[in-house]
Amino acid sequence: MSDAKKTPDSMKYRIPEGSAWDGAWKMALTVAALGGLVALGGAFMDPKRFAFSYLYGFVTVLTLWLGSVFFVLIQHLTSAGWSVSVRRASEFFVSGVVVLPFLFAPLIPNFKTLYPWWTTDKTGVAEAQEHAAAAPKGEGHEGAAVTEGEGEHSPAELIEEATLAKKSAYLNHTFFGIRMCVYFAVWLFLGLRLFRYSTAQDATRDKQWTVKLQGFAPVATILFAFSLTFAGFDWIMSLEPGWYSTMFGVRIFATSAVTSFACIILVTLGWKRAGLVHDEINTEHLHDLGKLMFGFLVFWAYISFSEFFLIWYAAIPEETIYFHRRWDDQSWRTISCMIVGLKFIVPFYLIMSRNAKRNNGLIGLGAGWLLAMHLVEIYYWIMPYYKPHAGVQWSGIWMEAGCVMATVGVYMTRVLWNMRKHSLIAVGDPRLSRALDFVNA
Amino acid sequence: MSADSPIVEIGETPLVPAHVSAAFVSDSVSRVTEQASPVGWWMVFGVALLFLGVLGLSVGYLVWNGIGSWGNNSPTAWAWDITNFVWWIGIGHAGTLISAVLFLFRQKWRTSVNRFAEAMTIFAVICALLYPTIHVGRIWALYWALPIPNQMAMWPNFKSPLLWDVFAVSTYFTVSLLFWFVGLIPDFATLRDRAKNVARKKVYGALALGWRGSNRHWRHYERAYLILAALSTPLVLSVHSVVSFDFATSVMPGWHTTIFPPYFVAGAVFSGFAMVMTLMLICRQVYGLKDIMTMKHLELMNKIMLVTGSLVGYAYSMEFFMAWYSGNAYERYVFINRATGPYWWAYWTMVTCNVISPQLFWSKRLRTSIPVMFAVSITINIGMWFERFVIIVTSLHRDYLPSSWGMFHPTLIDIGCYTGSLGLFFTLFSLFIRWIPMVAMFEVKAALPGAQPSHHHAHTEHAEPAHGALAVKEA
């Protein structure tokens, strides 16, 4: 078989003008605009809820983006051949990085609403340190959960303040701001470079781009791992500044990975349906993507369970508070159970079998299901802090819907826009023929 | 061009040199079990037997006199015994990872390494099982750990992670042994067919379970192997996760942290690869298997060590950061004490060996240098022993009450039990090398270029001879 026959032409996999995919970005933009209006209305009606809802929307997008970066990086790290024809799908998601700083911007004025430590920082430090000296150590922590929320100067609050004072070297305005800038700088650098190098190869077929990407991937992975972890600590974990868990970064990573596999599967199925990629993305690739999605789902369950289990078993109050917030109230308990039953048990059996992964309808259902459950999981991460002791506030859920529509809409506008500009398959990759020949043994 | 042929411009190289043919693989691997052993083997076996004797004496003394013969004391109730247990269990993990996980990922390069690593797994788990067994003190009552109905109406505590360990490790051992044996069947048949005397024919014939290499045999074999691989994969994760629960479920600062399960698994794979590397480098040298265990294999393994070493480094940094971030005085103290207290040397040995030394593998020149990788693999083995020592001893020796603080000092019996376990391991390993094919011959053959389905196809379309063994033979 000749090379020319096996490496297709870069114009073959373009979205034709006037097709549904060509106009898809307009739909995303409309969704974003509608969501934006709703969110804006919410911001006036209930600014506090808006802060949490918007963070919810942002984290939903961020995790999707992080997962996509992981997929692209791991392909370069392992010099993978099978995945070359589906890698571009993920790279489009990576290319959406440019909108992330803009999407984050509305959160900045809301830090004081979101993060309890934001207001105690600086002003409260000296006072809190006095409390720290006065408060009984060790024993006193046990009281924290019991007396939570009693009166203005409850022992629990004093301890909370004292704990915050100890963390002020990390949780303070300046350092938080610097870290935020570093994360975005790193992410823009990674995202743009991964996308640019790969698309540059489409036209030139220069193998040097592959070498460069392989050389870049290890360093990029380290930057990725630490930026993901600490961004997670800053923006999500510090919603509950007294709580801590070393697994938290791993959990964010695992959730992100599952989500991005679901997205890649849905997008490639969409392309196939529109006849854009012919048989170059076929059952074999979907089967492997399905295996990875299944594998990471199990990994996610494993680390989430381990985290929960160790906290439950040791029963240290400042750690168990995280799960108390999501269990003591019946409505949150329902959501906690949904995470176990509907994010793990149902899709586990749904996509476990080989036949399911090789059936476009079933694997698409599994991916869509996991994407929907992603929305629930992020809700479970963020929203318990809006009204900590009051259960799920169902009546205002339109605001979360609006924020997710706005953030996901903006992000997808950018992603879909980029799809119109580039080949849907990395045609210049020297390993493409391996992906085309790939068969699951 | 076949899709499987390496693309030189992007740094790809063939896995094995072109002259490696199916016959070459059979010959060079089977020969080891058919000829008299080289002097090197006798030396290793002799020293190993000596240390096995040390183990026998130490364990005998321990059982007769009691656990007080060890240096374990009141704050450090666990010390070298559990350190050694976790160390050996960890070493065992590489075997299953290479056999099962890399098999599921269809990594063909694993074929030269997997048999070796699986054998190492079994022997390492045997060594590991020794420690909890003798640590119970009255080893004649060991069966109390099992839920066996008895007239005393006494049951093990199902809430205890130590009991889960009994189940997890014994399951792991059983499945690993099955997996290893199933994988050996076609190779035992090869040895049987090559046998020149009746005894060999009978023994290998019995072990080969009547294998004839028929289509039906292969079909059943591959199905069984896939199922065992799928069973082993969760086991790799679960065993060391359960081991980590032994520590992490407690409220002991330095032990109780949520990242422990995946962190222990990463560390286990890391140490296991280091041990495989040490053994492989010796064997390929002594038995001249450099064309089967090539530099490419070694380089790939070094990359995995770099990855897992960095994962372990990530976990160390998370633990340290969270200890500070928690604001908990005891957590903070444990970590400061690790780095600057009386056991500072153990902590910094751990960091140097586990996090810093594998970073040498960023350089292609260093990760393809035999002396460097040999030194680093030994360093990692040392570092991973110290990791467990640091976790166990430094966390325990200064607990909540300063009045009960103490130090741990190993006794001669501690040292004998540890070095003796190395003797047990190397004795078993030497016997394995001597009598069992140390490379999965049929799997290596299946990964040769000539064995690919696309190979014949590619050959007919091209005027020039195709790469690989077939082409060499024709020439």
Side-chain angles (χ1 to χ4, degrees):
Chain A
M1 237 176 276
S2 68
D3 276 8
K5 201 169 140 196
K6 298 207 91 177
T7 47
D9 152 49
S10 60
M11 295 311 288
K12 192 173 165 194
Y13 307 107
R14 298 296 290 263
I15 291 173
E17 267 182 52
S19 68
W21 278 95
D22 190 45
W25 67 276
K26 290 178 202 153
M27 209 151 73
L29 193 62
T30 315
V31 169
L34 282 175
L37 279 175
V38 173
L40 202 64
F44 284 106
M45 282 170 65
D46 185 349
K48 186 177 178 199
R49 180 157 194 156
F50 169 77
F52 286 94
S53 301
Y54 192 83
L55 181 65
Y56 164 63
F58 178 77
V59 171
T60 305
V61 168
L62 181 67
T63 41
L64 167 56
W65 181 80
L66 288 167
S68 310
V69 175
F70 165 71
F71 180 76
V72 175
L73 282 177
I74 203 82
Q75 307 315 320
H76 294 310
L77 269 182
T78 56
S79 310
W82 72 272
S83 61
V84 172
S85 60
V86 293
R87 202 185 65 222
R88 183 57 53 80
S90 194
E91 284 168 349
F92 284 125
F93 284 99
V94 171
S95 76
V97 65
V98 284
V99 301
L100 290 182
F102 298 103
L103 285 179
F104 189 79
L107 285 172
I108 295 172
N110 287 304
F111 286 161
K112 60 179 184 304
T113 319
L114 290 168
Y115 303 110
W117 55 269
W118 190 265
T119 40
T120 55
D121 176 41
K122 305 238 161 72
T123 48
V125 170
E127 200 189 335
Q129 269 165 350
E130 279 170 36
H131 290 313
K137 283 178 186 160
E139 280 288 310
H141 283 289
E142 277 180 26
V146 182
T147 51
E148 183 82 27
E150 278 178 16
E152 255 185 80
H153 293 288
S154 69
E157 280 182 353
L158 297 182
I159 289 160
E160 177 85 14
E161 273 180 44
T163 315
L164 289 188
K166 286 188 193 167
K167 301 183 182 193
S168 61
Y170 184 78
L171 294 179
N172 65 61
H173 299 178
T174 322
F175 194 23
F176 189 80
I178 294 173
R179 287 197 305 272
M180 178 184 80
C181 298
V182 171
Y183 303 144
F184 283 113
V186 166
W187 293 342
L188 283 167
F189 172 67
L190 294 183
L192 294 176
R193 192 173 252 232
L194 287 173
F195 189 65
R196 203 180 62 237
Y197 279 18
S198 177
T199 47
Q201 201 175 33
D202 285 357
T204 63
R205 309 280 163 107
D206 187 350
K207 291 177 175 138
Q208 281 314 303
W209 292 113
T210 302
V211 178
K212 279 185 188 165
L213 280 164
Q214 278 170 201
F216 175 57
V219 184
T221 307
I222 290 173
L223 288 172
F224 169 77
F226 281 98
S227 58
L228 174 150
T229 306
F230 284 97
F233 293 169
D234 285 5
W235 300 341
I236 309 172
M237 197 165 83
S238 85
L239 287 168
E240 175 108 65
W243 184 76
Y244 52 89
S245 167
T246 40
M247 188 75 103
F248 199 70
V250 184
R251 174 142 60 98
I252 293 174
F253 160 73
T255 297
S256 305
V258 174
T259 310
S260 82
F261 286 119
C263 283
I264 301 167
I265 289 172
L266 289 178
V267 164
T268 47
L269 281 174
W271 288 350
K272 277 181 74 65
R273 210 186 170 121
L276 295 172
V277 288
H278 312 283
D279 203 35
E280 271 63 304
I281 295 176
N282 54 41
T283 308
E284 304 298 335
H285 303 110
L286 286 162
H287 184 185
D288 258 20
L289 286 171
K291 286 183 206 166
L292 282 168
M293 184 166 74
F294 178 78
F296 274 92
L297 177 67
V298 175
F299 177 72
W300 167 85
Y302 157 66
I303 56 101
S304 303
F305 171 76
S306 300
E307 185 183 34
F308 162 77
F309 171 76
L310 290 173
I311 288 174
W312 170 79
Y313 199 112
I316 298 171
E318 65 251 44
E319 293 184 1
T320 52
I321 181 77
Y322 185 88
F323 293 104
H324 275 297
R325 286 213 194 289
R326 291 158 177 80
W327 190 257
D328 294 349
D329 182 88
Q330 187 56 47
S331 54
W332 281 112
R333 188 177 298 184
T334 308
I335 294 202
S336 293
C337 294
M338 273 172 78
I339 304 269
V340 178
L342 302 184
K343 176 151 184 189
F344 180 61
I345 297 172
V346 170
F348 177 83
Y349 287 109
L350 181 64
I351 58 175
M352 180 159 65
S353 105
R354 175 186 166 95
N355 296 337
K357 287 187 280 257
R358 295 179 75 87
N359 176 314
N360 289 356
L362 283 175
I363 196 66
L365 176 67
W369 182 283
L370 282 171
L371 214 51
M373 287 314 297
H374 181 64
L375 293 174
V376 179
E377 195 194 357
I378 305 296
Y379 203 83
Y380 162 95
W381 286 5
I382 309 284
M383 293 312 286
Y385 300 104
Y386 162 54
K387 279 196 177 163
H389 302 286
V392 182
Q393 304 291 304
W394 296 112
S395 61
I397 206 157
W398 53 268
M399 212 190 302
E400 283 88 74
C403 287
V404 164
M405 280 163 68
T407 50
V408 174
V410 169
Y411 175 71
M412 286 310 294
T413 306
R414 179 68 198 174
V415 170
L416 291 165
W417 179 265
N418 280 340
M419 280 184 200
R420 301 165 68 234
K421 304 277 171 196
H422 298 278
S423 168
L424 301 182
I425 284 182
V427 285
D429 194 298
R431 294 195 181 93
L432 180 60
S433 63
R434 265 179 228 170
L436 304 185
D437 275 0
F438 171 66
V439 182
N440 272 292
Chain B
M1 187 178 98
S2 165
D4 274 317
S5 53
I7 308 167
V8 182
E9 296 96 314
I10 52 175
E12 294 185 348
T13 48
L15 202 52
V16 289
H19 67 83
V20 173
S21 65
F24 177 88
V25 173
S26 291
D27 272 338
S28 46
V29 176
S30 306
R31 205 174 49 213
V32 176
T33 68
E34 290 162 352
Q35 295 174 347
S37 292
V39 183
W41 184 88
W42 285 107
M43 278 162 52
V44 171
F45 187 62
V47 174
L49 269 185
L50 192 73
F51 278 95
L52 182 60
V54 170
L55 181 72
L57 290 174
S58 309
V59 170
Y61 185 88
L62 184 88
V63 172
W64 190 261
N65 290 290
I67 294 301
S69 334
W70 278 338
N72 299 25
N73 54 45
S74 179
T76 50
W78 282 1
W80 276 34
D81 43 7
I82 304 299
T83 302
N84 297 339
F85 164 68
V86 182
W87 188 68
W88 277 120
I89 278 280
I91 285 173
H93 275 58
T96 324
L97 184 98
I98 293 173
S99 314
V101 179
L102 295 186
F103 173 73
L104 294 181
F105 279 97
R106 303 294 187 268
Q107 295 296 301
K108 285 177 188 152
W109 64 272
R110 71 183 256 292
T111 53
S112 299
V113 190
N114 65 340
R115 172 70 46 73
F116 215 80
E118 286 164 39
M120 188 202 69
T121 292
I122 314 250
F123 307 143
V125 175
I126 290 173
C127 291
L129 282 170
L130 176 72
Y131 292 100
T133 308
I134 55 179
H135 195 190
V136 300
R138 302 183 180 95
I139 63 166
W140 47 92
L142 187 69
Y143 68 94
W144 290 1
L146 302 172
I148 304 169
N150 57 70
Q151 76 284 12
M152 294 180 285
M154 198 175 64
W155 288 89
N157 180 4
F158 285 102
K159 291 182 206 162
S160 165
L162 302 181
L163 180 71
W164 310 338
D165 242 3
V166 174
F167 301 144
V169 178
S170 51
T171 310
Y172 183 56
F173 181 73
T174 313
V175 174
S176 300
L177 193 64
L178 269 177
F179 199 32
W180 187 54
F181 183 72
V182 168
L184 271 165
I185 291 172
D187 277 358
F188 279 140
T190 305
L191 289 189
R192 172 200 63 198
D193 297 344
R194 288 169 60 98
K196 295 273 188 324
N197 64 55
V198 183
R200 274 184 79 90
K201 224 176 195 62
K202 290 265 183 244
V203 173
Y204 287 117
L207 288 169
L209 304 179
W211 178 269
R212 288 289 177 275
S214 70
N215 189 25
R216 177 183 289 208
H217 285 177
W218 278 112
R219 206 158 51 85
H220 288 167
Y221 167 82
E222 288 188 353
R223 179 53 57 95
Y225 200 80
L226 182 65
I227 290 171
L228 284 170
L231 283 176
S232 304
T233 302
L235 278 177
V236 184
L237 290 162
S238 75
V239 175
H240 229 58
S241 299
V242 172
V243 170
S244 82
F245 288 167
D246 294 346
F247 304 98
T249 50
S250 66
V251 285
M252 177 63 77
W255 283 14
H256 174 69
T257 183
T258 50
I259 205 172
F260 254 33
Y263 152 44
F264 266 48
V265 173
V269 171
F270 181 50
S271 64
F273 265 72
M275 187 59 105
V276 174
M277 180 59 93
T278 311
L279 300 171
M280 241 175 92
L281 287 173
I282 299 170
C283 287
R284 77 196 276 275
Q285 183 71 35
V286 172
Y287 294 106
L289 294 171
K290 287 175 194 171
D291 288 337
I292 294 177
M293 301 171 189
T294 64
M295 185 54 83
K296 183 153 183 204
H297 291 105
L298 302 178
E299 195 188 344
L300 287 167
M301 292 185 58
N302 287 335
K303 283 185 180 172
I304 292 194
M305 278 191 249
L306 176 58
V307 170
T308 46
S310 304
L311 285 177
V312 167
Y314 172 88
Y316 293 164
S317 60
M318 282 308 113
E319 271 191 302
F320 223 101
F321 175 77
M322 274 309 161
W324 175 82
Y325 179 88
S326 73
N328 180 320
Y330 303 104
E331 284 284 343
R332 284 184 174 187
Y333 179 74
V334 160
F335 281 85
I336 290 167
N337 185 45
R338 276 186 189 176
T340 62
Y343 285 111
W344 64 271
W345 46 271
Y347 182 80
W348 292 106
T349 306
M350 167 189 104
V351 171
T352 314
C353 294
N354 291 347
V355 185
I356 298 171
S357 82
Q359 305 304 326
L360 293 176
F361 290 151
W362 282 96
S363 147
K364 185 165 176 95
R365 202 166 58 82
L366 294 177
R367 74 170 176 261
T368 51
S369 150
I370 302 276
V372 170
M373 63 179 98
F374 189 69
V376 170
S377 72
I378 303 258
T379 311
I380 292 170
N381 279 315
I382 296 169
M384 286 308 291
W385 190 88
F386 272 100
E387 180 193 297
R388 281 60 178 256
F389 179 80
V390 165
I391 291 171
I392 293 168
V393 173
T394 68
S395 306
L396 288 176
H397 88 119
R398 291 188 169 176
D399 59 8
Y400 293 100
L401 282 175
S403 60
S404 65
W405 286 4
M407 292 290 283
F408 170 78
H409 299 285
T411 63
L412 209 58
I413 302 301
D414 272 305
I415 297 167
C417 285
Y418 175 54
T419 52
S421 70
L422 287 164
L424 173 62
F425 179 78
F426 279 97
T427 305
L428 293 169
F429 202 80
S430 312
L431 291 173
F432 156 72
I433 295 286
R434 178 68 187 84
W435 297 108
I436 295 174
M438 70 174 112
V439 173
M441 294 184 274
F442 71 97
E443 288 200 68
V444 172
K445 289 178 206 165
L448 291 176
Q452 305 311 311
S454 58
H455 182 80
H456 182 67
H457 189 58
H459 182 65
T460 48
E461 275 195 27
H462 278 274
E464 77 267 25
H467 58 278
L470 205 63
V472 172
K473 269 189 185 168
E474 283 160 359

